[in-house]
Amino acid sequence: ATRVAAKVGRFFAIAGGILGLMHGMPMLTLVSALVFFAAGGEEARVTLGPRLEGLQARQAMLTRLVSVYPFTELAGVARHLLMSGAEAAVIRRPGETLGVLLPDDLRGERPDRDAAALLDGPPLMVPASADLAEVLAQVRQAERPAIVYDDSNALVGVITLDGLRRTAELRRLTEGLQAAADRLQGDADPGQG
């Protein structure tokens, strides 16, 4: 139902945008653009969860990480990310993981601020075997990346919302390509079936 509503919303948004452009009504064009993008976002939100069902956290995590102390200045965090080729910085002190910073988190911040100053609450921790659809719900609710740990309680990766979207898209592509390969195999072998 949400997918249908999103498609209908996008259709009316396009129609409203065209009408707004044709009749010189910029406010209608602006509202139509907002409705168009909101409908697309809602459709993506609803379809993302089912595509992740049955997959585990270890299948969507970033593994190129760098650990930094909470008092590391943001300029130092950026330097560590660059020099190590890491995708995320895990803020840690001995015996405790405090959170994660992504490169986007550093934009527009003062370079002399401490890494811990950007953390806003306890870290979200999930086991590597956690169901990705459940991890998606947790990441959305916490509004922060999830830190992934293995059976021995060692940190093994980080899951971001972008990583979840990428994994869902890869699953869609995999299923589509497999279905096409199966059809080709069936066409090549008409006696089987």
Side-chain angles (χ1 to χ4, degrees), residues 112-184:
D112 61 341
R113 287 187 74 190
D114 288 349
L118 296 186
L119 302 178
D120 59 348
L124 172 60
M125 308 283 278
V126 298
S129 60
D131 183 84
L132 267 185
E134 294 173 16
V135 173
L136 170 65
Q138 293 173 340
V139 166
R140 281 189 170 145
Q141 182 177 0
E143 296 181 344
R144 66 178 53 100
I147 296 169
V148 184
Y149 59 90
D150 65 11
D151 294 337
S152 64
N153 227 18
L155 187 147
V156 293
V158 169
I159 294 179
T160 64
L161 193 52
D162 284 342
L164 290 165
R165 287 186 187 114
R166 184 179 59 249
T167 302
E169 179 62 14
L170 284 171
R171 186 172 202 186
R172 186 188 69 75
L173 287 170
T174 301
E175 290 170 352
L177 291 170
Q178 185 60 52
D182 292 346
R183 280 193 305 275
L184 287 173

Side-chain angles (χ1 to χ4, degrees), residues 22-122:
M22 288 175 50
H23 294 287
M25 300 185 320
M27 189 56 76
L28 178 60
T29 304
L30 177 63
V31 169
S32 296
L34 292 173
V35 169
F36 180 84
F37 290 116
E42 184 64 17
E43 184 177 14
R45 185 188 69 76
V46 170
T47 59
L48 191 58
R51 285 205 179 122
L52 296 173
E53 286 178 0
L55 297 177
Q56 294 184 344
R58 66 176 46 91
Q59 294 172 278
M61 64 186 188
L62 305 175
T63 56
R64 291 190 331 241
L65 309 173
V66 63
S67 291
V68 297
Y69 288 107
F71 53 81
T72 305
E73 291 183 349
L74 296 182
V77 174
R79 195 169 32 260
H80 284 303
L81 287 166
L82 174 65
M83 299 308 288
S84 65
E87 301 166 298
V90 181
I91 312 305
R92 304 175 94 176
R93 60 180 163 222
E96 185 179 16
T97 301
L98 303 175
V100 175
L101 291 180
L102 303 173
D104 285 347
D105 297 330
L106 306 178
R107 284 199 180 108
E109 295 291 338
R110 285 186 26 209
D112 61 341
R113 287 187 74 190
D114 288 349
L118 296 186
L119 302 178
D120 59 348

